[in-house]
Structures are given as structure tokens and as C-alpha cells.
Amino acid sequence: MSDQSRDIADVAPTALSHLIGNESVKAQVNVALESAFADSRKFDNAMLVGPPGLGKSALAAVIAHEMGMADGFTEVLGQSVTGIGDLNALLLGAVEKSVLHIDEPHELEKQLQTALYLAIDKLCVFAHMGKGGKPYPIPIADFTLLFSTTDEFCVLHPLRDRMRLVLSFQYLSPEDLTHVVRQRSHALRWVVDDEVFPQIAERAKGTPRLGLRLLQSSRRVARAEGETAITA
């Protein structure tokens, strides 16, 4: 990475220790990771719940990294899975212990949610041979399914029941948000006055995504004025 990385997305957390705030969520994930390693099995299926921008998707990617499955991490939006063919392609593409992250699963049609929990239960999907043919099972790998949702109760109850962990995210304190934006600017090797970080945190409404967006905007202004440093 160059000394002047230009975008917030150029770096992202890859370890649980890199994440800031939501300590109870991190503690639950750490226990689940240790258990998975001890038993040489996949990470438990989990639902990540909370308002937008709090780091649910970032945690899903971190879990894949911690499990050594960064190359086996697949992320899709619920609304992009529009039919059983799309869903089966995702499930058949999974490998043992890989991580499939569905963002906003409540946007999946109900028949797809039903097909998903049946696939999890039976570790197979069903295909049809010709029109009106009898369905036959195709085995799928024992993968980890992660949901990130802002509305858990719009996910079908039987599908929610297949999630062994429910991880509830809360808004971050100004102190934690200060740490978040400072950590990201250091990772990007941006020069920022220390007094800028709490000013951004105060305006970020407890939301890391908003804080990082404000940091990016601050750099854009500095660069537009020909500066290399972000100052108060």
C-alpha cells in the first residue's frame, strides 16, 4: 500500500482485536471461535442485528479471516437473490467451513427463506429432472451462514431458529468512535491533527460508518486545498 492511500475502503479490519466497541459482541464471537478451533469445526451460524453502519458486515469478514477462510468468504445482498437458482448457486459454491454472509436476509422472499433453512437442516439442495420430475438431493458443504439484519423479526422464525448466535450491536460512544477514526487514519498513513478525531466522533451519531465517511470528507477538503494534512 502506498504512503498516501486515498480511500477509507483501502484498509479494513481483519482480526477481532482490530474491532472497537461492542465488547459483548466481541466476547461472544471470541468464545465461538475458540470453541470452533477446539472441536475442529465450522463457526456457528449467527445473526448480526442492529442499526445500519455499526460494523456488522465488517465483523462477518473478520470471522472469515479468523477462521482462516478469507478466500472462502462470500457476501451477497438479500435483495440480489431473486430466485431458487440464485440461492442454489450460492449454496453449491460453498466449501467446508467457508462463510456465506447474507446482508439484509429479511429481503429474501419467504419461499427462499424456507428453502434456505431446509438446506441448512439437510445439508442439501433439491433439483428437478425435467418438467414435473421428481426432485433429487444434491449435497452441500457444512458452511457457516451469517446474517446481518436491521430487522430480525422480518426473518422467518424457523430460519432465525437456525442461528445459534444472535449478536446485538449498539451505537458506539464518542470515545470509541474517536478510536475508530484514529485507527483508520493511521492504517491509511494519513496525517491528521489529533484534535480532529474527537470532533469527527462528536458528529458521527454513534455510527462508525458515518465517522469514517466524515474522515474521508475531511481529507477530500484538505486535498482540494492542496494540503497533505487534515487539520482542525
Side-chain angles (χ1 to χ4, degrees), residues 75-82 90 101-105 107-108:
E75 188 170 37
V76 296
L77 288 171
Q79 64 185 11
S80 71
V81 183
T82 58
L90 281 173
H101 174 222
I102 301 181
D103 196 3
E104 304 299 0
E107 294 185 350
L108 287 168

Side-chain angles (χ1 to χ4, degrees), residues 11-21 26 29-30 33 55 58-68 70 183:
V11 295
T14 57
L16 199 59
S17 60
H18 297 165
L19 299 177
I20 298 161
K26 288 161 59 179
V29 171
N30 189 60
L33 286 168
L59 178 60
V62 163
I63 288 170
H65 276 275
E66 293 278 15
M67 289 297 296
Q183 178 198 60

Side-chain angles (χ1 to χ4, degrees), residues 19 26 63 71 87 96 117 133 142 151 185 188 205 231:
L19 299 177
K26 288 161 59 179
I63 288 170
D71 292 336
L87 180 62
E96 204 77 8
Y117 77 71
D142 191 12
D151 195 349
S185 69
L188 290 162
K205 302 178 181 178
T231 67

Side-chain angles (χ1 to χ4, degrees), residues 58-129:
L59 178 60
V62 163
I63 288 170
H65 276 275
E66 293 278 15
M67 289 297 296
M69 295 303 298
D71 292 336
F73 179 60
T74 302
E75 188 170 37
V76 296
L77 288 171
Q79 64 185 11
S80 71
V81 183
T82 58
I84 194 66
D86 291 341
L87 180 62
N88 285 351
L90 281 173
L91 300 180
L92 290 168
V95 299
E96 204 77 8
K97 297 184 183 178
S98 64
V99 177
L100 171 60
H101 174 222
I102 301 181
D103 196 3
E104 304 299 0
H106 57 267
E107 294 185 350
L108 287 168
E109 293 182 5
K110 285 186 167 48
Q111 62 265 33
L112 297 180
Q113 293 188 40
T114 299
L116 184 53
Y117 77 71
L118 290 174
I120 293 169
D121 279 352
K122 301 179 182 300
L123 284 182
C124 68
V125 296
F126 291 90
H128 293 263
M129 286 293 288

Side-chain angles (χ1 to χ4, degrees), residues 23-229:
E23 296 302 321
S24 63
V25 167
K26 288 161 59 179
Q28 285 179 272
V29 171
N30 189 60
V31 168
L33 286 168
E34 295 292 343
S35 175
F37 288 136
D39 294 335
S40 299
R41 59 176 179 80
K42 70 169 191 176
F43 188 86
D44 287 328
N45 296 334
M47 180 178 289
L48 288 62
V49 180
L54 298 189
K56 300 185 295 295
S57 295
L59 178 60
V62 163
I63 288 170
H65 276 275
E66 293 278 15
M67 289 297 296
M69 295 303 298
D71 292 336
F73 179 60
T74 302
E75 188 170 37
V76 296
L77 288 171
Q79 64 185 11
S80 71
V81 183
T82 58
I84 194 66
D86 291 341
L87 180 62
N88 285 351
L90 281 173
L91 300 180
L92 290 168
V95 299
E96 204 77 8
K97 297 184 183 178
S98 64
V99 177
L100 171 60
H101 174 222
I102 301 181
D103 196 3
E104 304 299 0
H106 57 267
E107 294 185 350
L108 287 168
E109 293 182 5
K110 285 186 167 48
Q111 62 265 33
L112 297 180
Q113 293 188 40
T114 299
L116 184 53
Y117 77 71
L118 290 174
I120 293 169
D121 279 352
K122 301 179 182 300
L123 284 182
C124 68
V125 296
F126 291 90
H128 293 263
M129 286 293 288
K131 189 174 181 179
K134 183 177 179 181
Y136 66 94
I138 303 174
I140 60 174
D142 191 12
F143 64 93
T144 294
L145 180 62
L146 300 180
F147 286 161
S148 293
T149 181
T150 55
D151 195 349
E152 62 180 304
F153 296 109
C154 281
V155 177
L156 290 180
H157 193 278
L159 184 52
R160 293 203 312 270
D161 281 350
R162 271 63 180 183
M163 302 293 108
R164 293 190 176 183
L165 291 172
V166 177
L167 306 171
S168 297
F169 283 68
Q170 306 298 322
Y171 289 107
L172 269 61
S173 68
E175 293 75 20
D176 280 342
L177 275 172
T178 298
H179 193 179
V180 167
V181 292
R182 180 185 289 116
Q183 178 198 60
R184 188 62 64 94
S185 69
H186 288 175
L188 290 162
R189 300 173 185 164
W190 290 355
V191 180
V192 185
D193 280 3
D194 207 52
E195 62 189 296
V196 170
F197 301 125
Q199 292 188 37
I200 289 175
E202 286 172 9
R203 293 161 172 78
K205 302 178 181 178
T207 307
R209 182 187 296 163
L210 179 54
L212 294 173
R213 187 182 300 158
L214 290 170
L215 177 63
Q216 181 80 64
S217 297
S218 300
R219 185 174 190 277
R220 187 181 304 118
V221 171
R223 297 300 295 143
E225 295 180 351
E227 302 292 338
T228 58

